Each structure stands twice: as C-alpha cells, then as structure tokens.
Amino acid sequence: MSAVIRIVECPSNSITVHRKGYQPPRTVWRLPDEEIRFTRPVRLLTMQRLALFDLDNTLVDRSEAFRRWAVEFCADRELPDDALAWLIATDQDGAVPRNWFFGEVTERFGLAASVDETWRQYRRRMPELVSCPQEVLASLTLLRDDGWTVAIVTNGQADNQLGKIRRTGLDRCVDAWAVSGELGIRKPAREILEAAARGCGLDLSGGGWAIGDSPVLDVEGGRAAGLATLWVSRGKDWPAELAPPNRTVTDVVAAVRVLRGEASAEGHPDQPPAAGVSGLTTVRRVVSESPRTPRGS
C-alpha cells in the first residue's frame, strides 16, 4: 500500500502536503529544519502487517525441552555422569545438523540402535517435552486481533516441528507455517520466508517483520528478504561482526508488544516505521536519499 504526496510548503519545521481526498492542504508531520531541503513528489510506503516468527527458542523453549530429553536419554541408558553435560554442549542449542549430532552420540556411547532410529525416537519425544507459555499464545492472539497476519518459519524435520506446533496449541494462534523438512528449503533462504507469506495469502513485496533468536537465520535472513527484523536476544549479546537488527527484545512477548506499538525496544537509527502506519522515518529516508538533496554534494 502506498500514497503519493506532494510537499507544497515547508514553514518552520513542518511539512504541509496535498494528498488526494484532502482539501485544503494540511500539516501532517513536523521535522527538524535540516531534514526539509526541497519540494518534490515523494512516495510514502506503508508496511503490511505480516509477522514471521521463528519457532525454537522464540515461540517455544527448545533448550529446556532438549535438556529434559537429554536427562531421560542418560537415565534410560545408564550413561556416565558426564554424559548430560556432553550432550548439551554438543547440541550447541540446536545449531548443529541433527544427523551429525546423533552420529556423534551413537559413536561416543556405543549405542546398539542406528543413528536413524535414535534420531526418530528423539523426534517422537521432543514435541511431548516442548512447552509454549500461555502468555505467548495470548500475545499472538492479540496480535491477530489487531489485524496482523502471523506465520511460523522453522528449520527442522516435519514430524518434529509440526508436532511442536500442534501439541503446544500454536496451530490455533497463527495463520500459516513453513517447515524446512516439508519444503526442502532452510532459513536463511528467502524462499522459505516467501512460502510462509504465500501460505497467508500475501507476498514479501509488501514488507513485514522477521522475528527470531538467531542472528544469522532470522535476522540476516529476514533482512536479505527485505523485511524489518526483530531479534529475541534471550539475554545474549549481539555479534559485533553483524549489522544490528531493527529492534531487540529479550523475549517473544516483548516482541509482540513492540509490534503492537505498546513498548519501545533497543534499535538503531534506521528503524522502519511500525507496520500499517505512514511513518516519519520513511519521510526522512525518502528526503535524505533523493539525488536532489544538496547536503553531501
């Protein structure tokens, strides 16, 4: 959605515009004097209300579910005392490929079961151990009630990830999901984000937000797809070598509050405007990037 506006006068630090359907012209924004440098038509973009959420360690507590699985796994097989710490360290919070992980597990503990069978048992059990706090489900419901379209984008095997979505009740709180094991596409590829948007009857050309805990998969992937990004930090520091996200929060409930405009969050100066609102940031960007801007010439 967009509207073409024409700046017709710039008294003091205000912008007065002619806009179709509005007569007479009226002042609609106030900007610092230095931001107003010329009079010309500009296109004001409005971002669609699309929120693409990561699943593991964003909507659900995957780390705690894995720890519980590892405790059971060690107890059932009477593994040595250091096995639990080794499993948690080797898992790397789910960052390593599962076939590699279970290959390492099978070799270290000399398991009789095959790698594939141990991995299958894991995928059957994990959805039973994962939890989604009630406040997260309630937040997603409020977000959709506000007119947002919500989808889940997750890497992982279909049986495991779909089991988590359905057993936690998330399937009743979102409009669609895209699971890499079903699609054969993994984050951070743009295509899996596009698939999630299509599942909602939308496309990425209208913009939206990518929300998740992974700096690379969620934030870098979302930014590359042209989305605004909201990082769920879980108390961690942002990697210094990466460009920062548009917003940072500690958990997904806070992320929803930011999207709904109820709370502020850490961010950088080029934050996009809130979805659905013609934003002051957009005006500044259009003005400052114009080739007719005298500053810096």
Side-chain angles (χ1 to χ4, degrees), residues 73-149:
F73 186 82
C74 293
D76 291 346
R77 291 159 181 80
E78 298 181 340
L79 299 181
D81 292 342
D82 63 349
L84 177 60
W86 182 89
L87 286 167
I88 292 173
T90 305
D91 172 64
Q92 295 183 37
D93 220 3
V96 297
R98 293 298 88 185
N99 56 347
W100 175 87
F101 172 78
F102 283 105
E104 294 293 301
V105 170
T106 300
E107 180 179 347
R108 181 177 179 91
F109 301 116
L111 303 181
S114 68
V115 171
D116 287 344
E117 177 57 27
T118 305
W119 187 8
R120 259 192 307 272
Q121 292 173 2
Y122 166 85
R123 297 200 308 269
R124 282 197 298 267
R125 183 61 174 142
M126 277 293 281
E128 299 171 349
L129 298 173
V130 161
S131 63
C132 181
Q134 190 60 41
E135 58 262 36
V136 172
L137 299 175
S139 293
L140 294 178
T141 299
L142 288 173
L143 192 61
R144 294 173 76 203
D145 287 347
D146 279 355
W148 285 76
T149 299

Side-chain angles (χ1 to χ4, degrees), residues 30-188:
R30 299 188 68 82
L31 295 173
D33 290 337
E34 63 270 18
E35 294 290 348
I36 303 170
R37 292 190 283 273
F38 60 91
T39 299
R40 56 159 297 179
V42 296
R43 182 166 295 274
L44 184 63
L45 302 178
T46 304
M47 186 190 298
Q48 66 187 351
R49 293 191 171 197
L50 173 65
L52 304 180
F53 286 89
D54 172 50
L55 178 63
D56 289 323
N57 288 331
T58 298
L59 294 174
V60 303
D61 190 346
R62 187 262 177 199
S63 295
E64 175 58 22
F66 181 85
R67 188 197 66 79
R68 293 174 62 189
W69 171 85
V71 169
E72 292 182 357
F73 186 82
C74 293
D76 291 346
R77 291 159 181 80
E78 298 181 340
L79 299 181
D81 292 342
D82 63 349
L84 177 60
W86 182 89
L87 286 167
I88 292 173
T90 305
D91 172 64
Q92 295 183 37
D93 220 3
V96 297
R98 293 298 88 185
N99 56 347
W100 175 87
F101 172 78
F102 283 105
E104 294 293 301
V105 170
T106 300
E107 180 179 347
R108 181 177 179 91
F109 301 116
L111 303 181
S114 68
V115 171
D116 287 344
E117 177 57 27
T118 305
W119 187 8
R120 259 192 307 272
Q121 292 173 2
Y122 166 85
R123 297 200 308 269
R124 282 197 298 267
R125 183 61 174 142
M126 277 293 281
E128 299 171 349
L129 298 173
V130 161
S131 63
C132 181
Q134 190 60 41
E135 58 262 36
V136 172
L137 299 175
S139 293
L140 294 178
T141 299
L142 288 173
L143 192 61
R144 294 173 76 203
D145 287 347
D146 279 355
W148 285 76
T149 299
V150 177
I152 297 171
V153 186
T154 179
N155 288 347
Q157 295 296 304
D159 53 356
N160 190 16
Q161 302 305 84
L162 290 174
K164 295 172 186 176
I165 291 170
R166 289 170 176 146
R167 289 186 67 93
T168 57
L170 282 165
D171 60 328
R172 299 186 294 274
C173 297
V174 300
D175 299 286
W177 50 78
V179 179
S180 68
E182 283 191 312
L183 301 173
I185 312 165
R186 295 178 59 84
K187 292 187 293 185

